[in-house]
């Protein structure tokens, strides 16, 4: 039966690409209130496609009606065998703002195909990858009239603004979201920048996140530095002095207890990662970095995947325009984030960092500290039957064994799936590292789209077969 499904995907490929174009033309920018109507259009578009595939899809409100809607869909009870596994697929239909518009070669919401890729905002993050799953489901439905697995589909419209209303939605709809595993396609393939070859990756670990906006306030207005320089505290000087103490000479974070409980990679992880074709020079050259930098005694993959980190994401305050303006600024601020690994609790790290800031002599200046969200780190078992099924599907469709990796980024909802629903997530990515997500000229390779559709179709069959074999 899978052979017929694959043939259906091939025959329907031109229509699938047109559907993706329709989706990409909807400017569903979640963070800008000016696009709220388009965000709702995005949700309705997804629901309509799922209904066409034989699922029962609804557009449901979040946040008491103040949040962007969620699309929730299910297969009928008799659409799959009674003993078939239950799969919850998650994705998001919202996209990042397209700015700066003048750097786009073609308008961000007028999808354009060139260089064997489709260019538009959301092409890779996450509309293209989401459509891979939708097309696989459509092919199964149109070929057989049913599905190898029981499906629940959850597509949200607030991922790009932190999924702020989704955890309460999960709590409220636990019974409708019961599943054996969560399936997500919102990650990249394993590739080397600038090289044509890529391998589908299965991501089994993500770092967590804590994000701060910190400000240090001094005088009640900007002061003339000739009249007041050297006589009153300068918030910019003091803030940068304190932030400079965040790291020691080994580039380790100096906050007390920051590394408590952090575990090194396992021997099996060391073995697998040593077999990856990781080109550190290409990784650095792609972003214009002269040399690797980070915590001493760890290599680049370890720093990226299994070690916690701290970054100053921005500094502001005082005068920054052209020319000179000799002032002592009334305040100075910084954006500071922490990426966390298992056994690091985001709330504890946040409390400890705030205590650490306040323990320094601020010269009489006043702190204003704002927390902008957090995400728990997650690691799923790398030897689960779901990962084994995914590996078989990926190899069958791509001709290459997938690689098992962790990732340094954070997807907060993955931790919520674990904490609220008790479910591990299976993250299979078809993006490329040069897809320019969140940047002008975002793209999704047409080959990635085809591979993603085929892999999802095969994966449903493999998951069903795996469950049958273990019963």
């Amino acid at each position: 039966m899978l052979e017929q499904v694959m043939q259906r995907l091939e025959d329907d490929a031109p229509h699938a690409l047109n559907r993706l174009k329709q989706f990409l033309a909807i400017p569903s920018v979640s963070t800008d209130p000016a696009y709220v109507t388009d965000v709702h259009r995005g949700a309705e578009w997804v629901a309509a496609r799922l209904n066409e595939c034989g699922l029962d899809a609804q557009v449901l409100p979040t946040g008491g009606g103040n949040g962007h809607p969620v699309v929730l869909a299910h297969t009928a009870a008799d659409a799959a065998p009674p003993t078939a596994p239950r799969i919850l697929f998650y994705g998001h239909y919202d996209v990042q703002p397209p700015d700066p518009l003048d750097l786009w070669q073609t308008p961000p919401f007028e999808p354009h195909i060139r260089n064997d890729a489709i260019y538009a905002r959301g092409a890779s993050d996450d509309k293209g990858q989401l459509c891979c799953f939708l097309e696989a489901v459509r092919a199964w439905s149109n070929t057989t009239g049913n599905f190898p697995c029981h499906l629940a589909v959850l597509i949200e419209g607030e991922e790009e603004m932190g999924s702020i209303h989704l955890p309460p939605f999960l709590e409220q709809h636990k019974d409708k979201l019961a599943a054996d595993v969560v399936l997500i396609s919102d990650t990249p393939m394993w590739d080397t920048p600038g090289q044509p070859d890529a391998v589908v990756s299965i991501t089994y670990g993500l770092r967590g996140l804590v994000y701060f906006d910190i400000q240090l306030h001094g005088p009640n207005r900007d002061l003339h530095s000739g009249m007041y320089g050297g006589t009153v505290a300068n918030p910019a000087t003091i803030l940068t002095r304190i932030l400079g103490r965040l790291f020691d000479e080994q580039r380790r974070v100096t906050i007390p207890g920051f590394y408590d409980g952090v575990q090194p990679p396992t021997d099996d992880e060391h073995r697998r990662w040593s077999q990856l074709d990781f080109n550190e020079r290409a990784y650095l050259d792609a972003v214009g970095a002269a040399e690797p930098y980070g915590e001493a005694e760890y290599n680049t993959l370890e720093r990226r995947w299994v070690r916690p980190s701290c970054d100053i994401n921005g500094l502001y305050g005082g005068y920054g325009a052209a020319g000179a303006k000799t002032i002592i600024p009334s305040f100075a601020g910084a954006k500071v984030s922490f990426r966390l690994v298992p056994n690091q609790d985001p709330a504890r790290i946040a409390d400890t960092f705030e205590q650490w800031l306040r323990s320094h002599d601020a010269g009489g200046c006043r702190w204003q500290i704002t927390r902008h969200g957090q995400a728990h780190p997650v690691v799923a078992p790398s030897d689960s039957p779901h990962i084994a099924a995914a590996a078989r599907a990926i190899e069958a469709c791509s001709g290459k064994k997938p690689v098992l990796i962790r990732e340094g980024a954070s997807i907060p909802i993955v931790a919520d799936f674990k904490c609220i629903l008790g479910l591990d997530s299976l993250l299979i990515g078809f993006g490329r590292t040069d897809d320019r997500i969140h940047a002008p000229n975002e793209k999704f390779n047409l080959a990635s789209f085809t591979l993603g559709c085929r892999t999802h179709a095969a994966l449903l069959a493999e998951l069903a077969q795996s469950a049958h074999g273990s019963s």
Side-chain angles (χ1 to χ4, degrees):
M1 187 59 68
L2 180 59
E3 184 177 346
Q4 291 95 318
V5 172
M6 293 300 190
Q7 186 61 51
R8 180 74 185 196
L9 281 171
E10 183 176 343
D11 294 342
D12 200 36
H15 300 292
L17 184 58
N18 284 333
R19 284 187 287 269
L20 176 56
K21 289 180 179 178
Q22 292 174 10
F23 194 18
L24 292 171
I26 301 173
S28 48
V29 180
S30 56
T31 58
D32 188 341
Y35 292 92
V36 64
T37 300
D38 295 306
V39 171
H40 282 257
R41 279 207 299 137
E44 295 290 349
W45 189 93
V46 172
R49 302 293 81 74
L50 287 165
N51 283 323
E52 290 173 359
C53 297
L55 281 73
D56 179 16
Q58 296 177 288
V59 177
L60 300 175
T62 64
N66 296 320
H68 295 317
V70 157
V71 180
L72 183 60
H74 294 85
T75 48
D78 60 352
T83 58
R86 299 165 301 167
I87 309 302
L88 171 59
F89 180 85
Y90 163 83
H92 64 94
Y93 64 84
D94 66 319
V95 299
Q96 282 276 321
D99 310 80
L101 294 175
D102 61 320
L103 295 183
W104 286 81
Q105 292 186 33
T106 50
F109 297 110
E110 295 179 17
H112 185 82
I113 294 177
R114 61 180 183 273
N115 304 323
D116 296 320
I118 186 166
Y119 287 78
R121 170 56 82 231
S124 183
D125 181 22
D126 177 43
K127 289 182 176 180
Q129 302 208 54
L130 165 57
C131 280
C132 291
F133 177 79
L134 296 182
E135 294 300 331
V137 171
R138 179 185 292 271
W140 272 103
S141 177
N142 290 348
T143 303
T144 69
N146 52 34
F147 307 94
C149 303
H150 297 284
L151 301 176
V153 180
L154 176 67
I155 313 298
E156 69 155 320
E158 295 184 340
E159 195 274 346
E160 299 293 2
M161 52 190 296
S163 302
I164 53 179
H165 294 114
L166 196 55
F169 186 91
L170 299 182
E171 290 280 6
Q172 183 181 356
H173 296 87
K174 278 184 179 180
D175 57 329
K176 297 179 180 179
L177 299 170
D180 299 306
V181 69
V182 182
L183 176 58
I184 301 173
S185 280
D186 195 11
T187 50
M189 300 173 73
W190 176 256
D191 64 354
T192 298
Q195 299 299 315
D197 294 332
V199 181
V200 179
S201 63
I202 301 175
T203 302
Y204 65 94
L206 297 166
R207 289 196 293 184
L209 175 69
V210 173
Y211 196 98
F212 278 89
D213 185 343
I214 61 175
Q215 294 182 0
L216 198 57
H217 291 261
N220 59 14
R221 63 185 186 278
D222 290 349
L223 302 177
H224 189 295
S225 65
M227 298 174 62
Y228 289 94
T231 68
V232 298
N234 184 321
T237 302
I238 294 172
L239 180 63
T240 54
R241 175 175 56 82
I242 293 173
L243 292 179
R245 294 174 178 172
L246 266 172
F247 308 94
D248 64 17
E249 294 302 316
Q250 301 301 309
R251 299 179 292 281
R252 289 173 56 89
V253 176
T254 59
I255 298 171
F258 182 75
Y259 294 97
D260 288 356
V262 172
Q263 298 295 315
T266 66
D267 291 341
D268 189 48
E269 286 177 317
H270 272 302
R271 177 187 58 78
R272 287 202 306 265
W273 298 349
S274 68
Q275 297 171 355
L276 293 175
D277 184 21
F278 177 59
N279 187 326
E280 183 178 70
R281 188 65 262 159
Y283 172 80
L284 298 172
D285 286 346
V287 297
E291 60 184 35
Y293 186 89
E295 187 182 0
E297 300 180 3
Y298 294 93
N299 63 41
T300 295
L301 288 183
E302 291 170 335
R303 292 168 181 161
R304 176 177 160 186
W305 291 348
V306 296
R307 297 300 297 174
S309 64
C310 173
D311 284 288
I312 298 171
N313 306 117
L315 293 166
Y316 60 95
Y319 183 71
K325 185 180 182 183
T326 52
I327 61 164
I328 295 172
S330 63
F331 80 98
K335 309 285 188 177
V336 180
S337 66
F338 297 87
R339 297 288 180 173
L340 309 180
V341 297
N343 295 329
Q344 286 185 302
D345 176 59
R348 185 188 69 81
I349 296 296
D351 289 342
T352 305
F353 176 54
E354 188 164 340
Q355 294 167 9
W356 181 86
L357 287 173
R358 297 185 186 279
S359 71
H360 289 82
D361 178 10
C365 293
R366 305 172 305 282
W367 288 107
Q368 180 179 319
I369 300 174
T370 304
R371 301 185 187 185
H372 282 306
Q374 62 185 43
H376 283 268
V378 291
V379 174
S382 60
D383 58 353
S384 74
H386 302 119
I387 285 183
R392 292 192 298 271
I394 291 167
E395 185 173 8
C397 293
S398 69
K400 301 176 183 178
K401 292 182 180 294
V403 296
L404 296 180
I405 65 172
R406 294 204 203 183
E407 190 48 78
S410 308
I411 304 178
I413 197 59
V414 172
D416 292 322
F417 285 136
K418 184 65 175 179
C419 294
I420 298 173
L421 302 180
L423 298 178
D424 288 324
S425 294
L426 186 59
L427 293 99
I428 305 174
F430 301 98
R432 297 292 298 266
T433 56
D434 64 355
D435 278 348
R436 301 179 66 85
I437 63 173
H438 294 203
N441 302 306
E442 181 180 353
K443 72 169 180 66
F444 192 45
N445 287 7
L446 298 182
S448 294
F449 185 42
T450 299
L451 177 59
C453 295
R454 292 175 60 84
T455 301
H456 276 300
L459 176 57
L460 294 179
E462 285 289 353
L463 289 169
Q465 184 63 36
S466 177
H468 178 75
S470 63
S471 61

